[in-house]
């Protein structure tokens, strides 16, 4: 049954509607970021406790990364057919259910069940990824970068609060037969449920369906065909700018995840303690999220290609600093901060360019393809990163991360040259 549609808003109603939709997305983004950060803070520790060995604790992060990769395409299909609201609600409910399975796995001491729960829990972050595109649905073309970046920025609040809430969350389950390290997942489930209810009640009218209504009438058969995943792939193949956007998002994310995931190991090899490692990662997270509004403003003012070029530069310098830091902890911290900034520049500009470059009917499918690509690539990158560091060291990992940027840089230069030629 097709989703119920409301009349398209009048032009005079659009500014207020944009502000309301963005406010709901920001609030849900804060909750979603909080839910993920609460659980992730102790996921590896919980995995070690249940499995009985540190060797398997790393599978916790792999499982949480696998969640959004597995959900990306089904979520895109749901959104393409039914709109943003059902998709976001489904993703948050998946996260809540996954968190519940994690708690059950911890209680009955089942490591396979724990991993299955972590996959579902990680799927909750799919809602936070999809929210950035929901923010762009009704944004004016010259303000899409800022709309996307504002929603990305909101994740900062939850990401910072989450680890600090993990301890009281663990204490709160004392006496219920639940391990303290599973307590954060009890709270995460509650937070995800609140986010799901908020989106279900308040994200109205649906931003994607409203954007389609504003775009004008389209033949029903043509619209349905355009929203299929195959049509999304065709749309990417047909647009060089869409291909650049897809590569930008995937490469930026993979480079960041690969280097960041092994930085604590490199720091510990050079004598850094847990507190120092935590400070370096906190600075990295600040670089990822806190400055995203700046990247959005630059993307709108200077153009998407300029900010993609900035992302290449920042990520390259980050790899150089981190890869040559050795025992210099301040240099590693600077490299990780720039790594976060480069990721932010790539994600915001790439997401905005992707939305600009494909037809309205195919956008949800293309955006789902983008999230699937970036999460799958990052999952592979994280696994390979561990092997590279074990066999050849952290310096080579950073060199390989910089090499990943070459196709992204080449496509950006090619796009800039083509744009200059068209204007001439």
């Amino acid at each position: 049954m097709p989703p119920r549609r409301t009349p398209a808003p009048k032009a005079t109603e659009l500014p207020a509607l944009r502000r309301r939709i963005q406010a709901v997305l920001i609030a849900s983004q804060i909750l979603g970021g909080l839910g993920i950060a609460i659980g992730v803070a102790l996921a590896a520790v919980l995995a070690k406790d249940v499995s009985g060995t540190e060797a398997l604790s790393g599978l916790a992060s792999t499982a949480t990364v696998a969640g959004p990769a597995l959900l990306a395409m089904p979520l895109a299909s749901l959104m393409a057919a039914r709109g943003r609201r059902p998709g976001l609600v489904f993703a948050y409910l998946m996260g809540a259910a996954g968190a519940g399975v994690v708690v059950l796995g911890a209680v009955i001491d089942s490591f396979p069940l724990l991993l299955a729960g972590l996959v579902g829990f990680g799927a909750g972050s799919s809602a936070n990824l999809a929210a950035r595109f929901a923010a762009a649905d009704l944004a004016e073309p010259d303000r899409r970068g800022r709309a996307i970046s504002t929603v990305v920025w909101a994740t900062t609040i939850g990401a910072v609060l989450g680890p600090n809430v993990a301890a009281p969350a663990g204490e709160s389950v004392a006496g219920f037969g639940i391990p303290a390290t599973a307590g954060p997942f009890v709270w995460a489930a509650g937070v995800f449920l609140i986010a799901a209810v908020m989106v279900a009640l308040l994200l109205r009218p649906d931003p994607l369906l409203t954007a389609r209504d504003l775009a004008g009438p389209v033949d029903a058969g043509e619209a349905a065909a355009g929203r299929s995943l195959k049509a999304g792939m065709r749309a990417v193949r047909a647009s060089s700018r869409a291909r650049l956007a897809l590569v930008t998002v995937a490469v930026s994310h993979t480079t960041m995840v690969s280097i960041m995931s092994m930085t604590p190991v490199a720091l510990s090899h050079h004598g850094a303690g847990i507190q120092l490692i935590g400070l370096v990662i906190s600075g990295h997270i600040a670089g990822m999220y806190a400055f995203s509004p700046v990247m959005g403003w630059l993307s709108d003012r200077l153009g998407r290609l300029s900010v993609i070029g900035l992302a290449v530069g920042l990520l390259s310098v980050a790899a150089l600093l981190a890869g040559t830091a050795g025992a210099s902890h301040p240099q590693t911290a600077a490299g990780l901060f720039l790594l976060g900034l480069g990721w932010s520049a790539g994600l915001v500009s790439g997401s905005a360019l992707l939305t600009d470059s494909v037809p309205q009917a195919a956008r949800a499918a293309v955006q789902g393809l983008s999230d699937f690509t970036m999460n799958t690539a990052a999952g592979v990158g994280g696994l390979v990163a561990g092997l590279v560091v074990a066999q050849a060291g952290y310096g080579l990992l950073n060199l390989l991360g910089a090499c990943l940027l070459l196709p992204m840089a080449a496509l950006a230069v090619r796009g800039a040259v083509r744009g200059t030629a068209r204007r001439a």
Side-chain angles (χ1 to χ4, degrees), residues 67 71 88-101 117 119-124 192 196:
L71 189 62
L88 293 175
V89 169
F90 177 72
Y92 282 131
L93 291 178
M94 281 286 293
V101 173
V119 171
F121 168 76
F192 280 142

Side-chain angles (χ1 to χ4, degrees), residues 220-244:
E222 181 182 345
R227 292 163 196 166
S228 69
L229 294 178
K230 287 184 179 179
M233 294 179 196
R234 286 198 299 271
V236 171
R237 287 197 298 266
S239 170
S240 60
R241 290 169 70 85
R243 292 195 296 274
L244 167 60

Side-chain angles (χ1 to χ4, degrees), residues 15-423:
L17 178 59
R18 290 186 183 111
R19 289 192 295 270
R20 184 162 61 81
I21 292 295
Q22 188 173 64
V24 174
L25 291 172
I26 287 172
S28 66
Q29 192 83 338
I30 292 172
L31 289 172
L34 176 62
I36 287 291
I38 292 174
V40 166
L42 291 178
V45 178
L46 178 59
K48 180 182 73 66
D49 291 346
V50 173
S51 67
T53 173
E54 288 188 359
L56 296 178
S57 63
L59 290 177
S61 62
T62 301
T64 55
V65 171
L70 292 172
L71 189 62
M73 300 305 269
L75 189 63
S77 296
L78 176 60
M79 288 186 176
R82 307 286 298 178
R84 298 292 185 194
R85 186 172 64 252
L88 293 175
V89 169
F90 177 72
Y92 282 131
L93 291 178
M94 281 286 293
V101 173
V102 168
V103 175
L104 178 60
V107 170
I108 67 174
D109 208 31
S110 171
F111 187 63
L113 190 62
L114 178 75
L115 289 181
L118 286 170
V119 171
F121 168 76
S125 65
S126 298
N128 280 35
L129 290 171
R132 76 189 193 277
F133 289 125
D137 286 333
L138 292 176
E140 296 164 298
D142 63 346
R143 296 187 65 86
R144 278 185 186 137
R146 276 166 279 190
I148 290 170
S149 65
T150 300
V151 171
V152 171
W153 171 84
T155 308
T156 311
I157 301 173
V160 170
L161 287 177
N164 297 299
V165 176
E171 295 168 1
S172 70
V173 299
F176 292 95
I178 299 173
T181 48
F185 289 93
V186 176
W187 283 34
V191 170
F192 280 142
L193 287 174
I194 294 171
V197 171
M198 175 187 296
V199 170
L201 295 178
L202 302 180
L203 196 66
R204 298 172 181 271
D206 189 283
L208 178 60
L209 301 183
T210 302
R212 288 176 181 168
D213 289 339
L214 291 171
V218 179
D219 177 79
E222 181 182 345
R227 292 163 196 166
S228 69
L229 294 178
K230 287 184 179 179
M233 294 179 196
R234 286 198 299 271
V236 171
R237 287 197 298 266
S239 170
S240 60
R241 290 169 70 85
R243 292 195 296 274
L244 167 60
L246 198 67
V247 169
T248 296
V249 172
V251 168
S252 298
H253 194 56
T254 302
T255 302
M256 184 276 292
V257 169
S258 300
I259 295 175
M260 179 273 294
S261 64
M262 298 311 298
T263 298
V265 176
L267 285 169
S268 64
H269 286 167
H270 291 287
I274 293 176
Q275 184 174 9
L276 178 57
I277 292 173
L279 287 173
V280 171
I281 298 302
S282 295
H284 168 69
I285 293 173
M288 287 175 65
Y289 296 116
F291 296 89
S292 58
V294 176
M295 299 305 175
W297 181 82
L298 290 173
S299 180
D300 289 336
R301 292 298 298 270
L302 302 181
R304 319 300 190 211
L305 295 181
S306 297
V307 180
I308 289 174
L310 175 62
V312 172
L314 288 169
L315 292 169
S316 299
V317 174
L320 175 64
L321 288 175
T324 60
S328 174
H329 298 150
Q331 184 173 327
T332 302
L336 264 288
F337 176 73
L338 291 179
L339 186 71
L341 280 182
W343 175 87
S344 180
L347 184 77
V348 170
S349 59
S351 299
L353 181 62
L354 189 68
T355 303
D356 295 341
S357 304
V358 296
Q360 171 63 249
R363 279 180 187 166
V366 170
Q367 291 159 352
L369 178 64
S370 171
D371 284 348
F372 170 77
T373 303
M374 68 181 278
N375 283 299
T376 302
V380 173
L383 290 174
V384 172
L387 297 175
V388 170
V389 170
Q391 297 297 321
Y394 183 66
L396 180 61
L397 173 65
N398 281 270
L399 176 60
L400 294 176
C403 290
L404 282 178
L405 302 171
L406 293 176
M408 174 176 156
L411 287 173
V413 170
R414 183 181 180 185
V417 170
R418 284 183 172 179
T420 302
R422 280 196 295 269
R423 287 192 296 271

